[in-house]
Short mmCIF file of all heavy atoms in Angstrom, two decimals:
data_model
loop_
_atom_site.label_atom_id
_atom_site.label_comp_id
_atom_site.label_asym_id
_atom_site.label_seq_id
_atom_site.Cartn_x
_atom_site.Cartn_y
_atom_site.Cartn_z
N MET A 1 11.16 -39.42 -29.04
CA MET A 1 11.00 -39.81 -30.41
C MET A 1 12.20 -40.63 -30.86
O MET A 1 13.36 -40.25 -30.61
CB MET A 1 10.85 -38.55 -31.26
CG MET A 1 10.76 -38.81 -32.73
SD MET A 1 10.55 -37.26 -33.57
CE MET A 1 10.55 -37.87 -35.23
N VAL A 2 11.95 -41.74 -31.50
CA VAL A 2 13.02 -42.61 -31.97
C VAL A 2 13.47 -42.14 -33.34
O VAL A 2 12.67 -41.85 -34.22
CB VAL A 2 12.52 -44.06 -32.07
CG1 VAL A 2 13.56 -44.97 -32.65
CG2 VAL A 2 12.07 -44.55 -30.70
N VAL A 3 14.80 -42.03 -33.52
CA VAL A 3 15.36 -41.62 -34.81
C VAL A 3 15.93 -42.86 -35.52
O VAL A 3 16.78 -43.55 -34.92
CB VAL A 3 16.48 -40.57 -34.62
CG1 VAL A 3 17.10 -40.19 -35.93
CG2 VAL A 3 15.90 -39.34 -33.91
N THR A 4 15.49 -43.12 -36.71
CA THR A 4 16.00 -44.26 -37.46
C THR A 4 17.37 -43.90 -38.09
O THR A 4 17.68 -42.72 -38.21
CB THR A 4 15.02 -44.64 -38.60
OG1 THR A 4 14.98 -43.59 -39.57
CG2 THR A 4 13.63 -44.93 -38.04
N PRO A 5 18.14 -44.89 -38.50
CA PRO A 5 19.40 -44.58 -39.13
C PRO A 5 19.26 -43.72 -40.37
O PRO A 5 20.06 -42.82 -40.62
CB PRO A 5 19.95 -45.97 -39.48
CG PRO A 5 19.36 -46.87 -38.46
CD PRO A 5 17.98 -46.34 -38.23
N ILE A 6 18.22 -43.96 -41.16
CA ILE A 6 17.99 -43.16 -42.38
C ILE A 6 17.71 -41.70 -41.98
O ILE A 6 18.24 -40.76 -42.61
CB ILE A 6 16.83 -43.73 -43.21
CG1 ILE A 6 17.14 -45.17 -43.66
CG2 ILE A 6 16.51 -42.85 -44.39
CD1 ILE A 6 18.28 -45.31 -44.62
N GLN A 7 16.92 -41.48 -40.94
CA GLN A 7 16.62 -40.13 -40.50
C GLN A 7 17.88 -39.47 -39.96
O GLN A 7 18.09 -38.27 -40.19
CB GLN A 7 15.55 -40.14 -39.40
CG GLN A 7 14.19 -40.52 -39.91
CD GLN A 7 13.19 -40.75 -38.78
OE1 GLN A 7 13.59 -41.16 -37.67
NE2 GLN A 7 11.91 -40.54 -39.06
N ALA A 8 18.71 -40.21 -39.25
CA ALA A 8 19.97 -39.64 -38.73
C ALA A 8 20.86 -39.18 -39.89
O ALA A 8 21.48 -38.12 -39.81
CB ALA A 8 20.69 -40.66 -37.86
N LEU A 9 20.92 -39.97 -40.97
CA LEU A 9 21.70 -39.57 -42.14
C LEU A 9 21.14 -38.32 -42.77
O LEU A 9 21.87 -37.40 -43.15
CB LEU A 9 21.73 -40.71 -43.17
CG LEU A 9 22.75 -41.79 -42.93
CD1 LEU A 9 22.55 -42.90 -43.96
CD2 LEU A 9 24.16 -41.25 -42.98
N GLU A 10 19.80 -38.26 -42.90
CA GLU A 10 19.17 -37.08 -43.49
C GLU A 10 19.48 -35.83 -42.68
O GLU A 10 19.68 -34.75 -43.23
CB GLU A 10 17.67 -37.30 -43.61
CG GLU A 10 17.27 -38.28 -44.67
CD GLU A 10 15.80 -38.64 -44.69
OE1 GLU A 10 15.06 -38.17 -43.79
OE2 GLU A 10 15.38 -39.37 -45.58
N GLN A 11 19.53 -35.96 -41.37
CA GLN A 11 19.83 -34.84 -40.48
C GLN A 11 21.28 -34.43 -40.56
O GLN A 11 21.64 -33.33 -40.19
CB GLN A 11 19.44 -35.16 -39.02
CG GLN A 11 17.97 -35.32 -38.82
CD GLN A 11 17.65 -35.87 -37.41
OE1 GLN A 11 18.53 -36.15 -36.62
NE2 GLN A 11 16.35 -36.05 -37.17
N SER A 12 22.14 -35.32 -41.09
CA SER A 12 23.59 -35.05 -41.17
C SER A 12 24.00 -34.48 -42.52
O SER A 12 25.18 -34.24 -42.75
CB SER A 12 24.36 -36.33 -40.89
OG SER A 12 24.12 -36.73 -39.57
N ILE A 13 23.04 -34.30 -43.44
CA ILE A 13 23.38 -33.76 -44.75
C ILE A 13 23.96 -32.35 -44.55
O ILE A 13 23.44 -31.55 -43.79
CB ILE A 13 22.15 -33.75 -45.68
CG1 ILE A 13 21.84 -35.17 -46.06
CG2 ILE A 13 22.40 -32.88 -46.91
CD1 ILE A 13 20.60 -35.36 -46.92
N GLY A 14 25.10 -32.12 -45.22
CA GLY A 14 25.81 -30.84 -45.06
C GLY A 14 26.92 -30.87 -44.03
O GLY A 14 27.69 -29.94 -43.92
N ARG A 15 27.00 -31.97 -43.27
CA ARG A 15 28.02 -32.11 -42.24
C ARG A 15 29.10 -33.10 -42.70
O ARG A 15 28.85 -33.95 -43.56
CB ARG A 15 27.43 -32.61 -40.94
CG ARG A 15 26.42 -31.66 -40.36
CD ARG A 15 25.93 -32.19 -39.04
NE ARG A 15 24.86 -31.35 -38.53
CZ ARG A 15 23.94 -31.77 -37.68
NH1 ARG A 15 23.93 -32.99 -37.25
NH2 ARG A 15 23.01 -30.93 -37.26
N ARG A 16 30.25 -33.05 -42.04
CA ARG A 16 31.34 -34.01 -42.37
C ARG A 16 31.02 -35.33 -41.65
O ARG A 16 30.61 -35.34 -40.47
CB ARG A 16 32.67 -33.46 -41.92
CG ARG A 16 33.07 -32.24 -42.76
CD ARG A 16 34.51 -31.91 -42.70
NE ARG A 16 35.38 -32.88 -43.33
CZ ARG A 16 35.60 -32.94 -44.68
NH1 ARG A 16 35.01 -32.09 -45.47
NH2 ARG A 16 36.44 -33.83 -45.16
N VAL A 17 31.23 -36.42 -42.33
CA VAL A 17 31.05 -37.75 -41.78
C VAL A 17 32.26 -38.61 -42.13
O VAL A 17 33.02 -38.30 -43.05
CB VAL A 17 29.77 -38.45 -42.33
CG1 VAL A 17 28.54 -37.67 -41.95
CG2 VAL A 17 29.85 -38.61 -43.84
N THR A 18 32.47 -39.67 -41.36
CA THR A 18 33.53 -40.65 -41.63
C THR A 18 32.85 -41.98 -41.90
O THR A 18 31.97 -42.40 -41.15
CB THR A 18 34.48 -40.77 -40.46
OG1 THR A 18 35.09 -39.47 -40.22
CG2 THR A 18 35.58 -41.79 -40.72
N VAL A 19 33.24 -42.64 -42.99
CA VAL A 19 32.63 -43.87 -43.41
C VAL A 19 33.71 -44.95 -43.46
O VAL A 19 34.72 -44.76 -44.10
CB VAL A 19 31.99 -43.74 -44.82
CG1 VAL A 19 31.34 -45.03 -45.25
CG2 VAL A 19 30.99 -42.58 -44.85
N ARG A 20 33.47 -46.07 -42.77
CA ARG A 20 34.41 -47.22 -42.87
C ARG A 20 33.72 -48.31 -43.69
O ARG A 20 32.56 -48.66 -43.40
CB ARG A 20 34.79 -47.77 -41.52
CG ARG A 20 35.73 -48.98 -41.71
CD ARG A 20 36.37 -49.47 -40.49
NE ARG A 20 37.34 -48.50 -40.02
CZ ARG A 20 37.91 -48.59 -38.82
NH1 ARG A 20 37.62 -49.58 -38.00
NH2 ARG A 20 38.77 -47.68 -38.44
N LEU A 21 34.44 -48.83 -44.65
CA LEU A 21 33.92 -49.87 -45.51
C LEU A 21 34.27 -51.26 -44.95
O LEU A 21 35.16 -51.37 -44.10
CB LEU A 21 34.47 -49.75 -46.92
CG LEU A 21 34.23 -48.40 -47.60
CD1 LEU A 21 34.76 -48.46 -49.04
CD2 LEU A 21 32.78 -48.01 -47.57
N LYS A 22 33.57 -52.26 -45.42
CA LYS A 22 33.87 -53.65 -45.01
C LYS A 22 35.30 -54.05 -45.33
O LYS A 22 35.84 -54.94 -44.68
CB LYS A 22 32.88 -54.60 -45.67
CG LYS A 22 31.45 -54.39 -45.21
CD LYS A 22 30.50 -55.31 -45.99
CE LYS A 22 29.09 -55.04 -45.62
NZ LYS A 22 28.14 -55.82 -46.42
N THR A 23 35.90 -53.41 -46.33
CA THR A 23 37.28 -53.72 -46.73
C THR A 23 38.28 -53.12 -45.75
O THR A 23 39.49 -53.42 -45.85
CB THR A 23 37.58 -53.14 -48.12
OG1 THR A 23 37.42 -51.71 -48.07
CG2 THR A 23 36.68 -53.77 -49.15
N GLY A 24 37.85 -52.21 -44.84
CA GLY A 24 38.76 -51.56 -43.90
C GLY A 24 39.13 -50.16 -44.32
O GLY A 24 39.70 -49.41 -43.55
N HIS A 25 38.85 -49.77 -45.59
CA HIS A 25 39.15 -48.41 -46.02
C HIS A 25 38.21 -47.44 -45.30
O HIS A 25 37.08 -47.77 -44.98
CB HIS A 25 38.91 -48.29 -47.53
CG HIS A 25 39.91 -49.06 -48.34
ND1 HIS A 25 39.69 -50.36 -48.71
CD2 HIS A 25 41.12 -48.70 -48.83
CE1 HIS A 25 40.74 -50.78 -49.41
NE2 HIS A 25 41.60 -49.78 -49.48
N GLU A 26 38.73 -46.25 -45.05
CA GLU A 26 37.97 -45.23 -44.34
C GLU A 26 38.03 -43.92 -45.11
O GLU A 26 39.07 -43.54 -45.64
CB GLU A 26 38.57 -45.04 -42.94
CG GLU A 26 37.57 -44.55 -41.93
CD GLU A 26 38.06 -44.74 -40.51
OE1 GLU A 26 38.52 -45.85 -40.18
OE2 GLU A 26 37.94 -43.77 -39.75
N TYR A 27 36.85 -43.26 -45.21
CA TYR A 27 36.72 -42.03 -45.97
C TYR A 27 36.07 -40.97 -45.12
O TYR A 27 35.20 -41.26 -44.29
CB TYR A 27 35.90 -42.27 -47.23
CG TYR A 27 36.51 -43.27 -48.15
CD1 TYR A 27 36.18 -44.62 -48.07
CD2 TYR A 27 37.49 -42.90 -49.08
CE1 TYR A 27 36.79 -45.57 -48.88
CE2 TYR A 27 38.10 -43.83 -49.89
CZ TYR A 27 37.74 -45.15 -49.79
OH TYR A 27 38.36 -46.08 -50.58
N ASN A 28 36.49 -39.73 -45.32
CA ASN A 28 35.94 -38.57 -44.59
C ASN A 28 35.52 -37.56 -45.62
O ASN A 28 36.29 -37.26 -46.54
CB ASN A 28 36.97 -38.01 -43.63
CG ASN A 28 36.43 -36.84 -42.85
OD1 ASN A 28 36.37 -35.74 -43.36
ND2 ASN A 28 36.04 -37.13 -41.62
N GLY A 29 34.31 -37.01 -45.49
CA GLY A 29 33.87 -35.99 -46.44
C GLY A 29 32.56 -35.38 -45.99
O GLY A 29 31.95 -35.80 -45.00
N LYS A 30 32.12 -34.39 -46.75
CA LYS A 30 30.88 -33.69 -46.46
C LYS A 30 29.75 -34.47 -47.12
O LYS A 30 29.78 -34.71 -48.34
CB LYS A 30 30.93 -32.28 -46.98
CG LYS A 30 29.73 -31.43 -46.69
CD LYS A 30 29.95 -30.04 -47.17
CE LYS A 30 28.74 -29.18 -46.94
NZ LYS A 30 28.92 -27.84 -47.50
N LEU A 31 28.75 -34.88 -46.34
CA LEU A 31 27.63 -35.63 -46.83
C LEU A 31 26.69 -34.74 -47.63
O LEU A 31 26.19 -33.75 -47.12
CB LEU A 31 26.89 -36.30 -45.66
CG LEU A 31 25.69 -37.15 -46.02
CD1 LEU A 31 26.12 -38.34 -46.87
CD2 LEU A 31 24.98 -37.62 -44.76
N ILE A 32 26.50 -35.09 -48.90
CA ILE A 32 25.63 -34.30 -49.78
C ILE A 32 24.27 -34.97 -49.95
O ILE A 32 23.24 -34.32 -49.90
CB ILE A 32 26.31 -34.10 -51.17
CG1 ILE A 32 27.63 -33.37 -51.02
CG2 ILE A 32 25.41 -33.36 -52.13
CD1 ILE A 32 27.53 -32.01 -50.40
N LEU A 33 24.26 -36.28 -50.17
CA LEU A 33 23.02 -37.02 -50.40
C LEU A 33 23.12 -38.40 -49.75
O LEU A 33 24.21 -38.99 -49.63
CB LEU A 33 22.79 -37.26 -51.91
CG LEU A 33 22.45 -36.09 -52.78
CD1 LEU A 33 22.47 -36.49 -54.24
CD2 LEU A 33 21.09 -35.54 -52.41
N SER A 34 21.97 -38.93 -49.36
CA SER A 34 21.85 -40.31 -48.94
C SER A 34 20.50 -40.81 -49.41
O SER A 34 19.58 -40.00 -49.61
CB SER A 34 21.99 -40.47 -47.43
OG SER A 34 20.90 -39.88 -46.76
N ASP A 35 20.36 -42.12 -49.59
CA ASP A 35 19.07 -42.66 -50.01
C ASP A 35 18.65 -43.81 -49.09
O ASP A 35 19.31 -44.06 -48.07
CB ASP A 35 19.10 -43.08 -51.48
CG ASP A 35 20.02 -44.24 -51.77
OD1 ASP A 35 20.51 -44.89 -50.82
OD2 ASP A 35 20.27 -44.54 -52.93
N GLU A 36 17.54 -44.46 -49.45
CA GLU A 36 17.00 -45.50 -48.59
C GLU A 36 17.88 -46.75 -48.51
O GLU A 36 17.72 -47.57 -47.63
CB GLU A 36 15.57 -45.90 -49.07
CG GLU A 36 15.53 -46.57 -50.42
CD GLU A 36 15.43 -45.58 -51.61
OE1 GLU A 36 15.55 -44.37 -51.41
OE2 GLU A 36 15.31 -46.07 -52.72
N HIS A 37 18.88 -46.87 -49.40
CA HIS A 37 19.81 -47.99 -49.36
C HIS A 37 21.12 -47.61 -48.67
O HIS A 37 22.06 -48.38 -48.65
CB HIS A 37 20.13 -48.46 -50.79
CG HIS A 37 18.90 -48.84 -51.57
ND1 HIS A 37 18.17 -49.98 -51.29
CD2 HIS A 37 18.27 -48.22 -52.56
CE1 HIS A 37 17.15 -50.04 -52.10
NE2 HIS A 37 17.17 -48.99 -52.90
N MET A 38 21.17 -46.40 -48.12
CA MET A 38 22.34 -45.83 -47.46
C MET A 38 23.50 -45.61 -48.45
O MET A 38 24.66 -45.59 -48.02
CB MET A 38 22.78 -46.64 -46.24
CG MET A 38 21.86 -46.51 -45.09
SD MET A 38 22.66 -47.10 -43.59
CE MET A 38 21.32 -46.91 -42.44
N ASN A 39 23.18 -45.46 -49.73
CA ASN A 39 24.18 -45.01 -50.65
C ASN A 39 24.49 -43.55 -50.27
O ASN A 39 23.55 -42.79 -49.99
CB ASN A 39 23.67 -45.09 -52.12
CG ASN A 39 23.39 -46.51 -52.54
OD1 ASN A 39 24.15 -47.40 -52.24
ND2 ASN A 39 22.29 -46.68 -53.22
N LEU A 40 25.74 -43.18 -50.30
CA LEU A 40 26.14 -41.83 -49.87
C LEU A 40 26.92 -41.12 -50.96
O LEU A 40 27.73 -41.73 -51.63
CB LEU A 40 27.04 -41.91 -48.62
CG LEU A 40 26.54 -42.72 -47.44
CD1 LEU A 40 27.59 -42.73 -46.34
CD2 LEU A 40 25.23 -42.18 -46.92
N LEU A 41 26.67 -39.84 -51.11
CA LEU A 41 27.47 -38.97 -51.95
C LEU A 41 28.23 -38.03 -51.05
O LEU A 41 27.61 -37.28 -50.27
CB LEU A 41 26.62 -38.19 -52.95
CG LEU A 41 27.38 -37.24 -53.87
CD1 LEU A 41 28.36 -38.01 -54.75
CD2 LEU A 41 26.39 -36.44 -54.72
N LEU A 42 29.57 -38.10 -51.11
CA LEU A 42 30.44 -37.25 -50.28
C LEU A 42 31.18 -36.30 -51.21
O LEU A 42 31.60 -36.69 -52.30
CB LEU A 42 31.44 -38.09 -49.52
CG LEU A 42 30.90 -39.19 -48.59
CD1 LEU A 42 32.04 -39.98 -47.99
CD2 LEU A 42 30.03 -38.59 -47.52
N THR A 43 31.38 -35.06 -50.78
CA THR A 43 32.19 -34.11 -51.49
C THR A 43 33.34 -33.74 -50.58
O THR A 43 33.29 -33.97 -49.38
CB THR A 43 31.37 -32.90 -51.95
OG1 THR A 43 32.16 -32.13 -52.82
CG2 THR A 43 30.94 -32.05 -50.81
N ASP A 44 34.38 -33.16 -51.16
CA ASP A 44 35.61 -32.83 -50.39
C ASP A 44 36.06 -34.08 -49.63
O ASP A 44 36.43 -34.02 -48.46
CB ASP A 44 35.34 -31.66 -49.46
CG ASP A 44 36.62 -31.12 -48.83
OD1 ASP A 44 37.71 -31.27 -49.43
OD2 ASP A 44 36.56 -30.55 -47.70
N CYS A 45 36.02 -35.20 -50.32
CA CYS A 45 36.26 -36.49 -49.72
C CYS A 45 37.74 -36.86 -49.77
O CYS A 45 38.45 -36.52 -50.73
CB CYS A 45 35.46 -37.55 -50.48
SG CYS A 45 35.59 -39.19 -49.78
N GLN A 46 38.19 -37.52 -48.73
CA GLN A 46 39.58 -38.00 -48.69
C GLN A 46 39.61 -39.38 -48.03
O GLN A 46 38.81 -39.65 -47.11
CB GLN A 46 40.49 -37.03 -47.97
CG GLN A 46 40.06 -36.62 -46.60
CD GLN A 46 40.91 -35.46 -46.05
OE1 GLN A 46 41.84 -35.03 -46.71
NE2 GLN A 46 40.58 -35.02 -44.87
N GLU A 47 40.50 -40.22 -48.47
CA GLU A 47 40.73 -41.49 -47.82
C GLU A 47 41.66 -41.22 -46.64
O GLU A 47 42.63 -40.46 -46.75
CB GLU A 47 41.40 -42.47 -48.78
CG GLU A 47 41.58 -43.87 -48.18
CD GLU A 47 42.14 -44.87 -49.14
OE1 GLU A 47 42.40 -44.53 -50.32
OE2 GLU A 47 42.33 -46.02 -48.72
N ILE A 48 41.33 -41.81 -45.50
CA ILE A 48 42.12 -41.54 -44.29
C ILE A 48 42.58 -42.88 -43.66
O ILE A 48 42.00 -43.91 -43.90
CB ILE A 48 41.33 -40.72 -43.26
CG1 ILE A 48 40.05 -41.44 -42.83
CG2 ILE A 48 41.05 -39.35 -43.78
CD1 ILE A 48 39.30 -40.75 -41.70
N ASP A 49 43.65 -42.77 -42.88
CA ASP A 49 44.15 -43.90 -42.09
C ASP A 49 44.60 -43.32 -40.77
O ASP A 49 45.47 -42.47 -40.71
CB ASP A 49 45.33 -44.59 -42.82
CG ASP A 49 45.83 -45.79 -42.09
OD1 ASP A 49 45.05 -46.40 -41.32
OD2 ASP A 49 47.01 -46.14 -42.27
N ALA A 50 43.95 -43.80 -39.68
CA ALA A 50 44.24 -43.27 -38.35
C ALA A 50 44.11 -41.73 -38.32
O ALA A 50 44.93 -41.03 -37.75
CB ALA A 50 45.62 -43.73 -37.87
N ASP A 51 43.06 -41.25 -38.95
CA ASP A 51 42.73 -39.82 -39.03
C ASP A 51 43.76 -39.00 -39.79
O ASP A 51 43.73 -37.77 -39.73
CB ASP A 51 42.47 -39.21 -37.66
CG ASP A 51 41.23 -39.79 -37.00
OD1 ASP A 51 40.29 -40.12 -37.73
OD2 ASP A 51 41.21 -39.93 -35.78
N LYS A 52 44.66 -39.63 -40.52
CA LYS A 52 45.65 -38.91 -41.36
C LYS A 52 45.24 -39.09 -42.79
O LYS A 52 44.97 -40.20 -43.24
CB LYS A 52 47.04 -39.46 -41.16
CG LYS A 52 47.57 -39.21 -39.76
CD LYS A 52 48.96 -39.79 -39.59
CE LYS A 52 49.40 -39.60 -38.13
NZ LYS A 52 50.67 -40.25 -37.86
N PRO A 53 45.16 -38.01 -43.57
CA PRO A 53 44.75 -38.11 -44.98
C PRO A 53 45.78 -38.88 -45.82
O PRO A 53 46.97 -38.67 -45.68
CB PRO A 53 44.65 -36.66 -45.44
CG PRO A 53 45.10 -35.80 -44.35
CD PRO A 53 45.40 -36.64 -43.16
N LEU A 54 45.24 -39.77 -46.66
CA LEU A 54 46.09 -40.54 -47.58
C LEU A 54 45.94 -40.00 -49.00
O LEU A 54 46.93 -39.79 -49.69
CB LEU A 54 45.71 -42.01 -47.58
CG LEU A 54 45.96 -42.78 -46.29
CD1 LEU A 54 45.48 -44.22 -46.43
CD2 LEU A 54 47.43 -42.77 -45.94
N LYS A 55 44.69 -39.84 -49.44
CA LYS A 55 44.37 -39.40 -50.80
C LYS A 55 43.19 -38.44 -50.80
O LYS A 55 42.23 -38.65 -50.09
CB LYS A 55 43.95 -40.55 -51.69
CG LYS A 55 44.99 -41.46 -52.17
CD LYS A 55 44.37 -42.41 -53.17
CE LYS A 55 44.78 -43.82 -52.86
NZ LYS A 55 44.17 -44.80 -53.74
N ARG A 56 43.26 -37.43 -51.62
CA ARG A 56 42.09 -36.56 -51.85
C ARG A 56 41.34 -37.08 -53.04
O ARG A 56 41.92 -37.34 -54.10
CB ARG A 56 42.53 -35.13 -52.14
CG ARG A 56 43.12 -34.45 -50.92
CD ARG A 56 43.05 -32.93 -51.04
NE ARG A 56 43.32 -32.32 -49.80
CZ ARG A 56 42.41 -32.08 -48.85
NH1 ARG A 56 41.16 -32.40 -49.07
NH2 ARG A 56 42.73 -31.51 -47.72
N LEU A 57 40.03 -37.27 -52.89
CA LEU A 57 39.22 -37.87 -53.94
C LEU A 57 38.23 -36.88 -54.57
O LEU A 57 37.73 -37.15 -55.63
CB LEU A 57 38.43 -39.07 -53.39
CG LEU A 57 39.29 -40.16 -52.78
CD1 LEU A 57 38.38 -41.18 -52.10
CD2 LEU A 57 40.16 -40.82 -53.81
N GLY A 58 37.99 -35.77 -53.92
CA GLY A 58 36.94 -34.84 -54.44
C GLY A 58 35.58 -35.40 -54.11
O GLY A 58 35.24 -35.59 -52.96
N GLU A 59 34.81 -35.75 -55.13
CA GLU A 59 33.48 -36.37 -54.92
C GLU A 59 33.60 -37.89 -54.95
O GLU A 59 34.37 -38.44 -55.73
CB GLU A 59 32.48 -35.95 -56.01
CG GLU A 59 31.88 -34.60 -55.76
CD GLU A 59 30.69 -34.34 -56.66
OE1 GLU A 59 30.46 -35.09 -57.63
OE2 GLU A 59 29.99 -33.38 -56.39
N ALA A 60 32.82 -38.53 -54.07
CA ALA A 60 32.83 -40.01 -54.02
C ALA A 60 31.44 -40.49 -53.75
O ALA A 60 30.72 -39.95 -52.92
CB ALA A 60 33.79 -40.48 -52.94
N LEU A 61 31.06 -41.52 -54.49
CA LEU A 61 29.79 -42.22 -54.28
C LEU A 61 30.13 -43.54 -53.56
O LEU A 61 30.92 -44.32 -54.04
CB LEU A 61 29.07 -42.50 -55.58
CG LEU A 61 27.79 -43.30 -55.50
CD1 LEU A 61 26.74 -42.53 -54.70
CD2 LEU A 61 27.27 -43.62 -56.89
N VAL A 62 29.54 -43.72 -52.39
CA VAL A 62 29.81 -44.93 -51.59
C VAL A 62 28.53 -45.76 -51.60
O VAL A 62 27.46 -45.28 -51.19
CB VAL A 62 30.19 -44.58 -50.12
CG1 VAL A 62 30.49 -45.84 -49.34
CG2 VAL A 62 31.37 -43.63 -50.11
N ARG A 63 28.65 -46.99 -52.09
CA ARG A 63 27.49 -47.86 -52.13
C ARG A 63 27.18 -48.38 -50.75
O ARG A 63 28.05 -48.85 -50.02
CB ARG A 63 27.81 -49.00 -53.10
CG ARG A 63 26.59 -49.82 -53.40
CD ARG A 63 26.82 -50.74 -54.54
NE ARG A 63 25.65 -51.56 -54.69
CZ ARG A 63 25.59 -52.63 -55.46
NH1 ARG A 63 26.64 -52.98 -56.16
NH2 ARG A 63 24.51 -53.35 -55.51
N GLY A 64 25.91 -48.33 -50.38
CA GLY A 64 25.46 -48.65 -49.06
C GLY A 64 25.80 -50.05 -48.59
O GLY A 64 26.12 -50.27 -47.41
N ASN A 65 25.78 -51.05 -49.47
CA ASN A 65 26.04 -52.42 -49.02
C ASN A 65 27.52 -52.67 -48.74
O ASN A 65 27.87 -53.73 -48.22
CB ASN A 65 25.51 -53.45 -50.02
CG ASN A 65 26.26 -53.47 -51.32
OD1 ASN A 65 26.94 -52.52 -51.67
ND2 ASN A 65 26.10 -54.57 -52.05
N ASN A 66 28.39 -51.70 -49.00
CA ASN A 66 29.81 -51.84 -48.68
C ASN A 66 30.16 -51.18 -47.35
O ASN A 66 31.31 -51.29 -46.89
CB ASN A 66 30.69 -51.21 -49.79
CG ASN A 66 30.60 -51.98 -51.06
OD1 ASN A 66 30.54 -53.20 -51.05
ND2 ASN A 66 30.57 -51.26 -52.16
N ILE A 67 29.21 -50.49 -46.71
CA ILE A 67 29.51 -49.71 -45.50
C ILE A 67 29.45 -50.58 -44.28
O ILE A 67 28.50 -51.32 -44.04
CB ILE A 67 28.51 -48.53 -45.37
CG1 ILE A 67 28.67 -47.56 -46.55
CG2 ILE A 67 28.67 -47.83 -44.04
CD1 ILE A 67 27.65 -46.48 -46.62
N LEU A 68 30.50 -50.49 -43.46
CA LEU A 68 30.53 -51.18 -42.15
C LEU A 68 29.90 -50.28 -41.10
O LEU A 68 29.03 -50.70 -40.35
CB LEU A 68 31.97 -51.53 -41.77
CG LEU A 68 32.19 -52.30 -40.47
CD1 LEU A 68 31.49 -53.65 -40.55
CD2 LEU A 68 33.67 -52.50 -40.22
N PHE A 69 30.34 -49.00 -41.04
CA PHE A 69 29.72 -48.03 -40.14
C PHE A 69 29.98 -46.62 -40.62
O PHE A 69 30.85 -46.37 -41.44
CB PHE A 69 30.13 -48.22 -38.66
CG PHE A 69 31.58 -47.91 -38.39
CD1 PHE A 69 32.02 -46.61 -38.21
CD2 PHE A 69 32.50 -48.92 -38.27
CE1 PHE A 69 33.34 -46.31 -37.90
CE2 PHE A 69 33.83 -48.65 -37.99
CZ PHE A 69 34.24 -47.35 -37.80
N ILE A 70 29.18 -45.69 -40.06
CA ILE A 70 29.30 -44.27 -40.37
C ILE A 70 29.36 -43.52 -39.08
O ILE A 70 28.53 -43.69 -38.19
CB ILE A 70 28.06 -43.78 -41.17
CG1 ILE A 70 27.85 -44.62 -42.43
CG2 ILE A 70 28.18 -42.31 -41.51
CD1 ILE A 70 26.52 -44.41 -43.09
N LYS A 71 30.39 -42.64 -38.95
CA LYS A 71 30.48 -41.73 -37.79
C LYS A 71 29.88 -40.42 -38.20
O LYS A 71 30.33 -39.79 -39.17
CB LYS A 71 31.93 -41.51 -37.39
CG LYS A 71 32.60 -42.67 -36.71
CD LYS A 71 33.92 -42.24 -36.13
CE LYS A 71 35.05 -43.00 -36.74
NZ LYS A 71 36.37 -42.60 -36.26
N LEU A 72 28.86 -40.00 -37.50
CA LEU A 72 28.18 -38.72 -37.82
C LEU A 72 28.74 -37.59 -37.02
O LEU A 72 29.23 -37.77 -35.93
CB LEU A 72 26.67 -38.84 -37.56
CG LEU A 72 25.97 -39.96 -38.32
CD1 LEU A 72 24.50 -40.03 -37.92
CD2 LEU A 72 26.08 -39.77 -39.78
#
């Protein structure tokens, strides 16, 4: 069975993910919601650099068209 990217995101709800934006910023947090545009809601979110935390953000909404890739 082939899993689409949207299905993979749905299966990852409740797990920690890392999101890199087109700007180069990287965020790590628990995936709470995703939609058909790959907009993501992360909780317990932090901005990271080389896997080291830079800032704690709490909840963050990441717009799908800004995402370069997502590590599940």
Side-chain angles (χ1 to χ4, degrees):
M1 177 178 177
V2 176
V3 177
T4 66
I6 299 295
Q7 291 170 331
L9 279 175
E10 288 173 355
Q11 293 171 359
S12 296
I13 290 177
R15 297 183 186 157
R16 293 198 70 80
V17 297
T18 300
V19 180
R20 178 170 291 170
L21 304 184
K22 293 175 184 176
T23 61
H25 292 90
E26 206 164 312
Y27 299 92
N28 181 280
K30 184 176 177 184
L31 181 62
I32 300 300
L33 290 171
S34 68
D35 66 11
E36 66 274 6
H37 304 289
M38 287 195 184
N39 297 318
L40 307 177
L41 178 61
L42 303 176
T43 191
D44 190 26
C45 183
Q46 54 190 357
E47 184 176 0
I48 59 174
D49 183 25
D51 293 327
K52 295 179 184 174
L54 295 177
K55 284 188 227 177
R56 291 201 167 274
L57 303 172
E59 278 193 348
L61 176 64
V62 182
R63 190 167 175 192
N65 69 340
N66 292 322
I67 296 173
L68 183 62
F69 67 82
I70 304 167
K71 287 191 240 178
L72 304 177

